[in-house]
Amino acid sequence: MTRQIRLLTNLSLRGLFGINEFLHTKDRRRKIRGCLMGVLWIFLILMVAGYVCILSYGLLAQGLGEFVPAVLGMAVAALVFFFTVFKAGAVLFDRRAYEKEIPLPVTVRAVILSRFLSMYVTDMLLGMVVMLPGMALYGIMERPGIVFYVYGIVAVVFLPLLPLTAASVVGAVIAGITVRWRRKNFVGIFLTLAFVCAVMVGSMQMSVMEESQLEAMMQNVALQLEGQIRGLYPPAMWMAEAMAGGSFGKLALFLGVSLGTFAAFLEILRPFYEKICTLLAANGARGNYRMKELHARSAVGSLMEREWRRYFSSTVYVTNTLVGQILMVFLAVGILAVGKDGIGALLGIPGITDRMLPVALGLLPGMMPLTACSVSMEGRQWWILQTLPVSRREMIRSKVGLNLLITAPFYVVSEVLMFIALKPGWTQALSLLAVPAAYCVFSARVGLAINEKMPVFDWENETRVVKQSASSMITMLVDMAAGVAAIWVLAAFPDVPGLWIHAGLVCVLLGAVWVMDRMGGDSLPGEA
C-alpha cells in the first residue's frame, strides 16, 4: 500500500501545482509563466519570513524567548486550519479524481491517505516558512543546545497534522451532511460560511476580552501569555516546552495527540468514504419538467445568469471569494460593538483611523474578487463563450457585474453599520461611501484584467484555480499595494484634508478601471 500512496500523492501534487505542465509543455509562454510564478512564491516567502523575524525579535527582546516556538506554532495551526477548511472537502472528496482512481487497483485507505498527504505537504511547507526563520533567530540570540534543533525539526514536520485533521473533519462533516440534499452546493456553501462566521465571532470576542484585560497582562506578561496559549492551543505549548526545555515527554505527547487524532479520523472516515464520493457525484433529476414561457434577455443579462449559475455550482469558488465581503461586515460590526474610541485599537492605527477607515473597509472585499479566477473557471468550456456572438466588452461587463452584485449586499450592510456607529459628518460620509465602492469596482476589474492575461484552462481541481493560481495571488498583491499606497499618502500628509485625498484616490481607481476597459481590443482572450 505504501507504493500506492506514494504514486497517488505524487500524481495529486503534480496536478495541484502544475508541475507536470511546466516540465513537459513545449509552450515557451507557459514556461515563462511558471518561472514568474516561482519568483512570486519566493517574494511571498521572503515577506512572511521578514514578518516572522520581526515578531520573534520583539518577543526575544522582551525576555519572552521561550514563547517564540509556542506563538509561531499557534500561528501555523491557525493558518493551516483557516486555509484548509475551505478546500478540505473539495480535495478529499474530489469527484473527478475519484472517478479516475476508483477503477485502479488501489485501496480506499491509499486514496484517502494520498489526498490527505497532498494537503499535508503544502501545509508543511507553510509551517516551515513560518517556523524556520523564528527558530533561526532564536538560535542566534539564545544559543540553545542541539536538542532544540532536533526537536524543532521533528515538531515542524508534524505541526500541521492536528489542525489539518481538524479542518478535514469539518470538511468531511459538511460533505456528509450535504450528500442527501438535492442542492448539495448551496448546503455546503451555507455550512462552510456559517462555520467561518462562528470562528470569526469567537475571535472577535477574544479580541474584546484581551483588550479589557490589557492592564492585567502588562503586569504579568509571561503568565498571561502562557495562559492564553494553553487555553487556545495546548499543543503549541507542548511543542515549545519540548524545544526550549528539552522535554522529550512533551514532544512525545505532541506527536501522540497529532498522530492519534489523524489515525482515528482515518479509521472513522474509511467505511463511509466511497458512499460520500458516490453520492456527491450523483445528480438528482425530476421527471416533472414543464415548458414555461420563454423570455429574451440582453447579451449581458444572459451572460450574467450564466456566470451566476457557474459561481454557485462550486463550493470552493464561493467560500474563498466571499471571505473578504464577510470580513468587511465583521469590521463594521466590531466598530459598532467597540465604539469610535476603540476603532484605532481594533485596527492597530490609532490617531488617524477616521482617515484610513474608508480604505480599510474597501480593501477587504478586494482580497479575493471572484473575477480573479472567473476566466480560468471556464476551463475546457471556454470555447463555448468564444463561439457565442458576444464581444469582450460584454464578457467583461457580465463578470464584473456579477462581482459587484455579490458584493453589494455586504457593502450596504457595512455602510449602514458604519453610519450607525460613527454618525459621520457629510465629508466623512462621502468618503465612507465613495472610497469602498471605488475599491470594489477597481479590485473586480483588475482581477479580471490579470486573469485575462494569465488564464488556466486545463485544470483538474478547482482548488488549483481558486487558491493557487498566479492570477489570484497577483490580484491580492495589487489590491494590497493600492491600499498601502493610499495609507502611506494619508499618513505622510496629515495636514491635507482627508476628503481631498479620498477624492483623488477615487479618481485614480476609477481612472485605472477606465484605462483597463479600453485595453486589449474586442476579442476574447486565450485558447481553451
Side-chain angles (χ1 to χ4, degrees):
M1 189 178 70
T2 304
R3 184 171 181 271
Q4 297 176 9
I5 296 171
R6 179 173 56 83
L7 291 175
L8 290 174
T9 304
N10 185 35
L11 181 63
S12 178
L13 287 174
R14 284 175 175 266
L16 198 61
F17 288 106
I19 298 175
N20 268 343
E21 177 186 352
F22 179 77
L23 292 177
H24 303 292
T25 184
K26 303 299 182 182
D27 190 341
R28 185 169 175 270
R29 290 179 300 177
R30 294 194 177 187
K31 288 279 189 180
I32 296 175
R33 187 185 305 166
C35 293
L36 293 176
M37 190 70 175
V39 173
L40 178 60
W41 275 111
I42 293 173
F43 174 72
L44 292 175
I45 290 172
L46 292 176
M47 284 182 58
V48 174
Y51 178 79
V52 168
C53 288
I54 293 172
L55 174 62
S56 302
Y57 181 81
L59 291 173
L60 288 163
Q62 296 176 20
L64 301 174
E66 67 271 19
F67 294 108
V68 169
V71 171
L72 296 182
M74 190 169 65
V76 171
L79 289 172
V80 168
F81 181 83
F82 186 78
F83 287 109
T84 305
V85 76
F86 292 113
K87 66 178 182 180
V91 174
L92 279 176
F93 306 104
D94 185 8
R95 182 184 63 188
R96 295 183 181 89
Y98 173 77
E99 292 173 349
K100 293 179 179 179
E101 293 170 356
I102 197 62
L104 301 176
V106 295
T107 63
V108 175
R109 189 191 301 270
V111 173
I112 300 175
L113 276 171
S114 67
R115 298 191 183 187
F116 192 91
L117 287 174
S118 66
M119 294 188 293
Y120 178 75
V121 170
T122 59
D123 292 335
M124 184 177 64
L125 294 175
L126 173 62
M128 289 182 175
V129 170
V130 174
M131 288 294 297
L132 293 182
M135 288 174 57
L137 190 62
Y138 181 93
I140 293 172
M141 298 183 67
E142 296 292 327
R143 299 188 181 279
I146 190 65
V147 175
F148 171 83
Y149 298 101
V150 174
Y151 285 3
I153 295 299
V154 174
V156 167
V157 171
F158 289 95
L159 179 59
L161 192 59
L162 190 58
L164 177 58
T165 304
S168 300
V169 169
V170 175
V173 169
I174 292 175
I177 293 175
T178 60
V179 289
R180 294 189 178 276
W181 289 75
R182 186 170 181 268
R183 299 289 184 180
K184 300 182 184 69
N185 290 325
F186 283 102
V187 177
I189 290 167
F190 173 78
L191 292 175
T192 304
L193 293 179
F195 178 78
V196 172
C197 290
V199 172
M200 290 181 181
V201 170
S203 301
M204 186 178 296
Q205 290 177 345
M206 287 193 304
S207 298
V208 174
M209 179 187 67
E210 290 171 1
E211 183 68 24
S212 65
Q213 296 176 351
L214 181 60
E215 183 177 353
M217 289 181 64
M218 293 302 295
Q219 296 174 0
N220 202 344
V221 177
L223 290 178
Q224 288 291 335
L225 182 59
E226 181 179 356
Q228 290 287 338
I229 295 174
R230 288 191 186 277
L232 292 173
Y233 192 63
M237 206 65 215
W238 303 339
M239 183 186 69
E241 291 172 353
M243 294 172 62
S247 174
F248 179 77
K250 293 295 184 179
L251 180 65
L253 179 61
F254 171 76
L255 297 178
V257 171
S258 300
L259 293 171
T261 305
F262 168 65
F265 166 72
L266 179 63
E267 290 303 315
I268 294 173
L269 177 63
R270 184 170 56 85
F272 306 100
Y273 183 77
E274 290 183 90
K275 185 175 182 180
I276 293 176
C277 286
T278 303
L279 290 176
L280 285 175
N283 293 315
R286 292 183 178 180
N288 58 350
Y289 175 78
R290 297 289 185 274
M291 177 66 75
K292 295 182 179 180
E293 184 179 358
L294 299 178
H295 298 276
R297 288 198 180 115
S298 64
V300 174
S302 299
L303 290 175
M304 279 192 67
E305 182 180 1
R306 178 177 178 272
E307 292 293 327
W308 176 277
R309 293 178 181 275
R310 180 180 298 280
Y311 181 64
F312 285 102
S313 67
S314 172
T315 304
V316 176
Y317 195 11
V318 176
T319 52
N320 280 272
T321 54
L322 279 186
V323 173
Q325 285 86 338
I326 294 174
L327 286 174
M328 180 169 62
V329 174
F330 270 84
L331 175 62
V333 171
I335 293 172
L336 181 62
V338 174
K340 186 175 181 180
D341 295 336
I343 297 174
L346 184 66
L347 297 178
I349 44 175
I352 47 176
T353 307
D354 290 345
R355 293 159 57 88
M356 296 184 179
L357 187 57
V359 177
L361 193 68
L363 279 178
L364 292 174
M367 289 174 56
M368 179 57 187
L370 65 92
T371 53
C373 49
S374 60
V375 174
S376 297
M377 284 296 291
E378 298 279 350
R380 294 184 175 89
Q381 295 182 348
W382 179 242
W383 67 271
I384 298 177
L385 191 59
Q386 290 178 310
T387 57
L388 294 175
V390 295
S391 64
R392 174 177 172 271
R393 190 177 302 275
E394 290 170 330
M395 182 272 291
I396 291 173
R397 289 176 179 174
S398 65
K399 292 183 180 294
V400 174
L402 179 64
N403 196 144
L404 299 179
L405 181 65
I406 297 295
T407 306
F410 299 92
Y411 168 80
V412 172
V413 172
S414 302
E415 293 292 344
V416 170
L417 294 175
M418 285 290 194
F419 274 66
I420 294 174
L422 300 178
K423 298 179 175 57
W426 71 270
T427 56
Q428 188 183 5
L430 284 177
S431 297
L432 281 174
L433 288 171
V435 173
Y439 265 110
C440 290
V441 176
F442 171 78
S443 62
R445 186 62 188 89
V446 76
L448 183 59
I450 293 172
N451 197 206
E452 280 187 286
K453 298 297 182 181
M454 309 181 72
V456 178
F457 295 120
D458 54 348
W459 48 268
E460 296 292 336
N461 192 310
E462 296 167 345
T463 304
R464 179 191 170 192
V465 176
V466 178
K467 297 180 69 69
Q468 297 173 338
S469 64
S471 61
S472 298
M473 288 190 289
I474 293 176
T475 300
M476 187 180 299
L477 289 175
V478 170
D479 186 66
M480 290 175 58
V484 170
I487 291 174
W488 180 84
V489 171
L490 288 167
F493 301 97
D495 297 330
V496 178
L499 181 62
W500 294 6
I501 299 178
H502 292 154
L505 177 61
V506 170
C507 292
V508 169
L509 294 175
L510 296 183
V513 172
W514 183 84
V515 171
M516 285 184 284
D517 278 344
R518 277 146 185 81
M519 295 176 62
D522 202 45
S523 58
L524 296 177
E527 294 289 340

PDB file of all heavy atoms in Angstrom, residues 4-29:
ATOM      1  N   GLN A   4       1.292   2.503  -3.475  1.00  0.00           N
ATOM      2  CA  GLN A   4       0.066   3.122  -3.968  1.00  0.00           C
ATOM      3  C   GLN A   4      -0.064   4.556  -3.450  1.00  0.00           C
ATOM      4  O   GLN A   4      -0.382   5.485  -4.204  1.00  0.00           O
ATOM      5  CB  GLN A   4      -1.153   2.303  -3.527  1.00  0.00           C
ATOM      6  CG  GLN A   4      -1.206   0.896  -4.077  1.00  0.00           C
ATOM      7  CD  GLN A   4      -2.375   0.118  -3.515  1.00  0.00           C
ATOM      8  OE1 GLN A   4      -3.242   0.664  -2.837  1.00  0.00           O
ATOM      9  NE2 GLN A   4      -2.404  -1.177  -3.794  1.00  0.00           N
ATOM     10  N   ILE A   5       0.192   4.745  -2.153  1.00  0.00           N
ATOM     11  CA  ILE A   5       0.089   6.076  -1.553  1.00  0.00           C
ATOM     12  C   ILE A   5       1.095   7.032  -2.188  1.00  0.00           C
ATOM     13  O   ILE A   5       0.771   8.177  -2.525  1.00  0.00           O
ATOM     14  CB  ILE A   5       0.314   5.989  -0.030  1.00  0.00           C
ATOM     15  CG1 ILE A   5      -0.802   5.163   0.615  1.00  0.00           C
ATOM     16  CG2 ILE A   5       0.363   7.384   0.592  1.00  0.00           C
ATOM     17  CD1 ILE A   5      -0.557   4.851   2.078  1.00  0.00           C
ATOM     18  N   ARG A   6       2.318   6.533  -2.390  1.00  0.00           N
ATOM     19  CA  ARG A   6       3.354   7.395  -2.961  1.00  0.00           C
ATOM     20  C   ARG A   6       3.005   7.824  -4.381  1.00  0.00           C
ATOM     21  O   ARG A   6       3.127   9.004  -4.734  1.00  0.00           O
ATOM     22  CB  ARG A   6       4.685   6.647  -2.953  1.00  0.00           C
ATOM     23  CG  ARG A   6       5.854   7.440  -3.544  1.00  0.00           C
ATOM     24  CD  ARG A   6       7.156   6.705  -3.347  1.00  0.00           C
ATOM     25  NE  ARG A   6       7.120   5.364  -3.905  1.00  0.00           N
ATOM     26  CZ  ARG A   6       7.333   5.090  -5.202  1.00  0.00           C
ATOM     27  NH1 ARG A   6       7.572   6.069  -6.054  1.00  0.00           N
ATOM     28  NH2 ARG A   6       7.295   3.840  -5.637  1.00  0.00           N
ATOM     29  N   LEU A   7       2.534   6.895  -5.197  1.00  0.00           N
ATOM     30  CA  LEU A   7       2.198   7.219  -6.582  1.00  0.00           C
ATOM     31  C   LEU A   7       1.003   8.161  -6.662  1.00  0.00           C
ATOM     32  O   LEU A   7       1.004   9.132  -7.431  1.00  0.00           O
ATOM     33  CB  LEU A   7       1.919   5.928  -7.357  1.00  0.00           C
ATOM     34  CG  LEU A   7       3.128   5.016  -7.610  1.00  0.00           C
ATOM     35  CD1 LEU A   7       2.686   3.717  -8.276  1.00  0.00           C
ATOM     36  CD2 LEU A   7       4.175   5.723  -8.465  1.00  0.00           C
ATOM     37  N   LEU A   8      -0.033   7.886  -5.881  1.00  0.00           N
ATOM     38  CA  LEU A   8      -1.220   8.737  -5.911  1.00  0.00           C
ATOM     39  C   LEU A   8      -0.916  10.136  -5.390  1.00  0.00           C
ATOM     40  O   LEU A   8      -1.407  11.134  -5.931  1.00  0.00           O
ATOM     41  CB  LEU A   8      -2.347   8.093  -5.093  1.00  0.00           C
ATOM     42  CG  LEU A   8      -2.975   6.827  -5.682  1.00  0.00           C
ATOM     43  CD1 LEU A   8      -3.970   6.219  -4.696  1.00  0.00           C
ATOM     44  CD2 LEU A   8      -3.668   7.135  -7.007  1.00  0.00           C
ATOM     45  N   THR A   9      -0.123  10.225  -4.334  1.00  0.00           N
ATOM     46  CA  THR A   9       0.241  11.536  -3.789  1.00  0.00           C
ATOM     47  C   THR A   9       1.079  12.320  -4.779  1.00  0.00           C
ATOM     48  O   THR A   9       0.871  13.530  -4.977  1.00  0.00           O
ATOM     49  CB  THR A   9       1.014  11.366  -2.467  1.00  0.00           C
ATOM     50  OG1 THR A   9       0.244  10.590  -1.549  1.00  0.00           O
ATOM     51  CG2 THR A   9       1.313  12.719  -1.847  1.00  0.00           C
ATOM     52  N   ASN A  10       2.027  11.652  -5.414  1.00  0.00           N
ATOM     53  CA  ASN A  10       2.866  12.306  -6.415  1.00  0.00           C
ATOM     54  C   ASN A  10       2.022  12.832  -7.570  1.00  0.00           C
ATOM     55  O   ASN A  10       2.207  13.969  -8.040  1.00  0.00           O
ATOM     56  CB  ASN A  10       3.906  11.312  -6.923  1.00  0.00           C
ATOM     57  CG  ASN A  10       4.889  11.961  -7.885  1.00  0.00           C
ATOM     58  OD1 ASN A  10       5.238  13.130  -7.727  1.00  0.00           O
ATOM     59  ND2 ASN A  10       5.335  11.217  -8.875  1.00  0.00           N
ATOM     60  N   LEU A  11       1.069  12.033  -8.012  1.00  0.00           N
ATOM     61  CA  LEU A  11       0.192  12.449  -9.101  1.00  0.00           C
ATOM     62  C   LEU A  11      -0.664  13.645  -8.691  1.00  0.00           C
ATOM     63  O   LEU A  11      -0.842  14.595  -9.460  1.00  0.00           O
ATOM     64  CB  LEU A  11      -0.703  11.275  -9.503  1.00  0.00           C
ATOM     65  CG  LEU A  11      -1.679  11.514 -10.656  1.00  0.00           C
ATOM     66  CD1 LEU A  11      -0.932  11.807 -11.942  1.00  0.00           C
ATOM     67  CD2 LEU A  11      -2.590  10.307 -10.840  1.00  0.00           C
ATOM     68  N   SER A  12      -1.180  13.615  -7.469  1.00  0.00           N
ATOM     69  CA  SER A  12      -2.026  14.703  -6.990  1.00  0.00           C
ATOM     70  C   SER A  12      -1.243  16.001  -6.871  1.00  0.00           C
ATOM     71  O   SER A  12      -1.721  17.069  -7.277  1.00  0.00           O
ATOM     72  CB  SER A  12      -2.638  14.325  -5.641  1.00  0.00           C
ATOM     73  OG  SER A  12      -3.416  15.380  -5.131  1.00  0.00           O
ATOM     74  N   LEU A  13      -0.032  15.939  -6.322  1.00  0.00           N
ATOM     75  CA  LEU A  13       0.770  17.143  -6.147  1.00  0.00           C
ATOM     76  C   LEU A  13       1.198  17.727  -7.489  1.00  0.00           C
ATOM     77  O   LEU A  13       1.207  18.946  -7.672  1.00  0.00           O
ATOM     78  CB  LEU A  13       1.996  16.828  -5.297  1.00  0.00           C
ATOM     79  CG  LEU A  13       1.746  16.590  -3.808  1.00  0.00           C
ATOM     80  CD1 LEU A  13       3.021  16.143  -3.119  1.00  0.00           C
ATOM     81  CD2 LEU A  13       1.199  17.846  -3.144  1.00  0.00           C
ATOM     82  N   ARG A  14       1.552  16.863  -8.419  1.00  0.00           N
ATOM     83  CA  ARG A  14       1.958  17.366  -9.741  1.00  0.00           C
ATOM     84  C   ARG A  14       0.804  18.078 -10.432  1.00  0.00           C
ATOM     85  O   ARG A  14       0.999  19.089 -11.103  1.00  0.00           O
ATOM     86  CB  ARG A  14       2.461  16.215 -10.613  1.00  0.00           C
ATOM     87  CG  ARG A  14       3.865  15.738 -10.246  1.00  0.00           C
ATOM     88  CD  ARG A  14       4.255  14.509 -11.060  1.00  0.00           C
ATOM     89  NE  ARG A  14       5.633  14.113 -10.797  1.00  0.00           N
ATOM     90  CZ  ARG A  14       6.668  14.489 -11.526  1.00  0.00           C
ATOM     91  NH1 ARG A  14       6.474  15.270 -12.572  1.00  0.00           N
ATOM     92  NH2 ARG A  14       7.883  14.096 -11.230  1.00  0.00           N
ATOM     93  N   GLY A  15      -0.410  17.557 -10.280  1.00  0.00           N
ATOM     94  CA  GLY A  15      -1.553  18.230 -10.873  1.00  0.00           C
ATOM     95  C   GLY A  15      -1.937  19.489 -10.131  1.00  0.00           C
ATOM     96  O   GLY A  15      -2.368  20.477 -10.722  1.00  0.00           O
ATOM     97  N   LEU A  16      -1.772  19.470  -8.784  1.00  0.00           N
ATOM     98  CA  LEU A  16      -2.191  20.604  -7.971  1.00  0.00           C
ATOM     99  C   LEU A  16      -1.318  21.822  -8.214  1.00  0.00           C
ATOM    100  O   LEU A  16      -1.796  22.945  -8.296  1.00  0.00           O
ATOM    101  CB  LEU A  16      -2.147  20.206  -6.491  1.00  0.00           C
ATOM    102  CG  LEU A  16      -2.925  21.081  -5.505  1.00  0.00           C
ATOM    103  CD1 LEU A  16      -4.402  21.084  -5.836  1.00  0.00           C
ATOM    104  CD2 LEU A  16      -2.702  20.606  -4.086  1.00  0.00           C
ATOM    105  N   PHE A  17      -0.015  21.638  -8.336  1.00  0.00           N
ATOM    106  CA  PHE A  17       0.898  22.749  -8.517  1.00  0.00           C
ATOM    107  C   PHE A  17       1.227  23.028  -9.982  1.00  0.00           C
ATOM    108  O   PHE A  17       1.984  23.943 -10.273  1.00  0.00           O
ATOM    109  CB  PHE A  17       2.203  22.476  -7.765  1.00  0.00           C
ATOM    110  CG  PHE A  17       2.063  22.564  -6.275  1.00  0.00           C
ATOM    111  CD1 PHE A  17       2.052  21.422  -5.495  1.00  0.00           C
ATOM    112  CD2 PHE A  17       1.917  23.783  -5.654  1.00  0.00           C
ATOM    113  CE1 PHE A  17       1.922  21.506  -4.126  1.00  0.00           C
ATOM    114  CE2 PHE A  17       1.792  23.876  -4.281  1.00  0.00           C
ATOM    115  CZ  PHE A  17       1.790  22.731  -3.512  1.00  0.00           C
ATOM    116  N   GLY A  18       0.713  22.219 -10.912  1.00  0.00           N
ATOM    117  CA  GLY A  18       1.020  22.429 -12.315  1.00  0.00           C
ATOM    118  C   GLY A  18       2.440  22.065 -12.680  1.00  0.00           C
ATOM    119  O   GLY A  18       2.993  22.580 -13.661  1.00  0.00           O
ATOM    120  N   ILE A  19       3.058  21.151 -11.902  1.00  0.00           N
ATOM    121  CA  ILE A  19       4.443  20.769 -12.163  1.00  0.00           C
ATOM    122  C   ILE A  19       4.559  20.011 -13.483  1.00  0.00           C
ATOM    123  O   ILE A  19       5.492  20.233 -14.267  1.00  0.00           O
ATOM    124  CB  ILE A  19       4.993  19.924 -10.999  1.00  0.00           C
ATOM    125  CG1 ILE A  19       4.983  20.751  -9.711  1.00  0.00           C
ATOM    126  CG2 ILE A  19       6.403  19.435 -11.304  1.00  0.00           C
ATOM    127  CD1 ILE A  19       5.388  19.968  -8.487  1.00  0.00           C
ATOM    128  N   ASN A  20       3.607  19.110 -13.733  1.00  0.00           N
ATOM    129  CA  ASN A  20       3.641  18.355 -14.988  1.00  0.00           C
ATOM    130  C   ASN A  20       3.609  19.274 -16.202  1.00  0.00           C
ATOM    131  O   ASN A  20       4.336  19.077 -17.181  1.00  0.00           O
ATOM    132  CB  ASN A  20       2.458  17.385 -15.039  1.00  0.00           C
ATOM    133  CG  ASN A  20       2.811  16.024 -14.494  1.00  0.00           C
ATOM    134  OD1 ASN A  20       3.975  15.685 -14.372  1.00  0.00           O
ATOM    135  ND2 ASN A  20       1.805  15.245 -14.161  1.00  0.00           N
ATOM    136  N   GLU A  21       2.739  20.268 -16.137  1.00  0.00           N
ATOM    137  CA  GLU A  21       2.623  21.200 -17.259  1.00  0.00           C
ATOM    138  C   GLU A  21       3.930  21.939 -17.480  1.00  0.00           C
ATOM    139  O   GLU A  21       4.395  22.104 -18.617  1.00  0.00           O
ATOM    140  CB  GLU A  21       1.497  22.198 -16.974  1.00  0.00           C
ATOM    141  CG  GLU A  21       1.331  23.262 -18.043  1.00  0.00           C
ATOM    142  CD  GLU A  21       0.314  24.306 -17.669  1.00  0.00           C
ATOM    143  OE1 GLU A  21      -0.369  24.119 -16.644  1.00  0.00           O
ATOM    144  OE2 GLU A  21       0.209  25.299 -18.401  1.00  0.00           O
ATOM    145  N   PHE A  22       4.571  22.376 -16.386  1.00  0.00           N
ATOM    146  CA  PHE A  22       5.815  23.134 -16.521  1.00  0.00           C
ATOM    147  C   PHE A  22       6.948  22.267 -17.065  1.00  0.00           C
ATOM    148  O   PHE A  22       7.763  22.717 -17.885  1.00  0.00           O
ATOM    149  CB  PHE A  22       6.210  23.709 -15.155  1.00  0.00           C
ATOM    150  CG  PHE A  22       7.494  24.490 -15.178  1.00  0.00           C
ATOM    151  CD1 PHE A  22       7.532  25.777 -15.679  1.00  0.00           C
ATOM    152  CD2 PHE A  22       8.669  23.927 -14.694  1.00  0.00           C
ATOM    153  CE1 PHE A  22       8.717  26.491 -15.705  1.00  0.00           C
ATOM    154  CE2 PHE A  22       9.856  24.629 -14.707  1.00  0.00           C
ATOM    155  CZ  PHE A  22       9.878  25.922 -15.214  1.00  0.00           C
ATOM    156  N   LEU A  23       7.019  21.007 -16.646  1.00  0.00           N
ATOM    157  CA  LEU A  23       8.109  20.129 -17.054  1.00  0.00           C
ATOM    158  C   LEU A  23       7.986  19.649 -18.494  1.00  0.00           C
ATOM    159  O   LEU A  23       8.993  19.468 -19.181  1.00  0.00           O
ATOM    160  CB  LEU A  23       8.186  18.915 -16.113  1.00  0.00           C
ATOM    161  CG  LEU A  23       8.609  19.194 -14.668  1.00  0.00           C
ATOM    162  CD1 LEU A  23       8.571  17.912 -13.857  1.00  0.00           C
ATOM    163  CD2 LEU A  23      10.009  19.809 -14.614  1.00  0.00           C
ATOM    164  N   HIS A  24       6.757  19.456 -18.950  1.00  0.00           N
ATOM    165  CA  HIS A  24       6.564  18.781 -20.231  1.00  0.00           C
ATOM    166  C   HIS A  24       5.990  19.673 -21.333  1.00  0.00           C
ATOM    167  O   HIS A  24       5.917  19.241 -22.478  1.00  0.00           O
ATOM    168  CB  HIS A  24       5.645  17.565 -20.045  1.00  0.00           C
ATOM    169  CG  HIS A  24       6.167  16.581 -19.036  1.00  0.00           C
ATOM    170  ND1 HIS A  24       7.303  15.836 -19.244  1.00  0.00           N
ATOM    171  CD2 HIS A  24       5.708  16.227 -17.810  1.00  0.00           C
ATOM    172  CE1 HIS A  24       7.532  15.060 -18.194  1.00  0.00           C
ATOM    173  NE2 HIS A  24       6.584  15.282 -17.304  1.00  0.00           N
ATOM    174  N   THR A  25       5.574  20.893 -21.004  1.00  0.00           N
ATOM    175  CA  THR A  25       4.993  21.736 -22.041  1.00  0.00           C
ATOM    176  C   THR A  25       6.073  22.236 -22.999  1.00  0.00           C
ATOM    177  O   THR A  25       7.228  22.448 -22.617  1.00  0.00           O
ATOM    178  CB  THR A  25       4.257  22.941 -21.422  1.00  0.00           C
ATOM    179  OG1 THR A  25       3.629  23.686 -22.454  1.00  0.00           O
ATOM    180  CG2 THR A  25       5.221  23.842 -20.671  1.00  0.00           C
ATOM    181  N   LYS A  26       5.669  22.412 -24.250  1.00  0.00           N
ATOM    182  CA  LYS A  26       6.559  22.969 -25.268  1.00  0.00           C
ATOM    183  C   LYS A  26       6.271  24.447 -25.505  1.00  0.00           C
ATOM    184  O   LYS A  26       6.955  25.095 -26.298  1.00  0.00           O
ATOM    185  CB  LYS A  26       6.400  22.209 -26.579  1.00  0.00           C
ATOM    186  CG  LYS A  26       6.658  20.704 -26.465  1.00  0.00           C
ATOM    187  CD  LYS A  26       8.078  20.394 -26.020  1.00  0.00           C
ATOM    188  CE  LYS A  26       8.315  18.887 -25.976  1.00  0.00           C
ATOM    189  NZ  LYS A  26       9.684  18.557 -25.498  1.00  0.00           N
ATOM    190  N   ASP A  27       5.265  24.957 -24.820  1.00  0.00           N
ATOM    191  CA  ASP A  27       4.871  26.349 -24.987  1.00  0.00           C
ATOM    192  C   ASP A  27       5.813  27.243 -24.181  1.00  0.00           C
ATOM    193  O   ASP A  27       5.890  27.143 -22.954  1.00  0.00           O
ATOM    194  CB  ASP A  27       3.430  26.539 -24.519  1.00  0.00           C
ATOM    195  CG  ASP A  27       2.874  27.905 -24.899  1.00  0.00           C
ATOM    196  OD1 ASP A  27       3.681  28.810 -25.183  1.00  0.00           O
ATOM    197  OD2 ASP A  27       1.639  28.074 -24.891  1.00  0.00           O
ATOM    198  N   ARG A  28       6.539  28.107 -24.857  1.00  0.00           N
ATOM    199  CA  ARG A  28       7.509  28.973 -24.186  1.00  0.00           C
ATOM    200  C   ARG A  28       6.823  29.937 -23.227  1.00  0.00           C
ATOM    201  O   ARG A  28       7.368  30.260 -22.171  1.00  0.00           O
ATOM    202  CB  ARG A  28       8.312  29.746 -25.244  1.00  0.00           C
ATOM    203  CG  ARG A  28       9.438  30.596 -24.667  1.00  0.00           C
ATOM    204  CD  ARG A  28      10.332  31.101 -25.775  1.00  0.00           C
ATOM    205  NE  ARG A  28      11.348  32.007 -25.271  1.00  0.00           N
ATOM    206  CZ  ARG A  28      11.198  33.320 -25.166  1.00  0.00           C
ATOM    207  NH1 ARG A  28      10.047  33.866 -25.553  1.00  0.00           N
ATOM    208  NH2 ARG A  28      12.172  34.080 -24.703  1.00  0.00           N
ATOM    209  N   ARG A  29       5.628  30.391 -23.579  1.00  0.00           N
ATOM    210  CA  ARG A  29       4.929  31.325 -22.706  1.00  0.00           C
ATOM    211  C   ARG A  29       4.555  30.679 -21.383  1.00  0.00           C
ATOM    212  O   ARG A  29       4.607  31.312 -20.333  1.00  0.00           O
ATOM    213  CB  ARG A  29       3.672  31.851 -23.414  1.00  0.00           C
ATOM    214  CG  ARG A  29       3.951  32.784 -24.582  1.00  0.00           C
ATOM    215  CD  ARG A  29       2.667  33.225 -25.239  1.00  0.00           C
ATOM    216  NE  ARG A  29       1.916  32.080 -25.751  1.00  0.00           N
ATOM    217  CZ  ARG A  29       0.718  32.165 -26.321  1.00  0.00           C
ATOM    218  NH1 ARG A  29       0.131  33.348 -26.425  1.00  0.00           N
ATOM    219  NH2 ARG A  29       0.104  31.090 -26.772  1.00  0.00           N
TER     220      ARG A  29
END
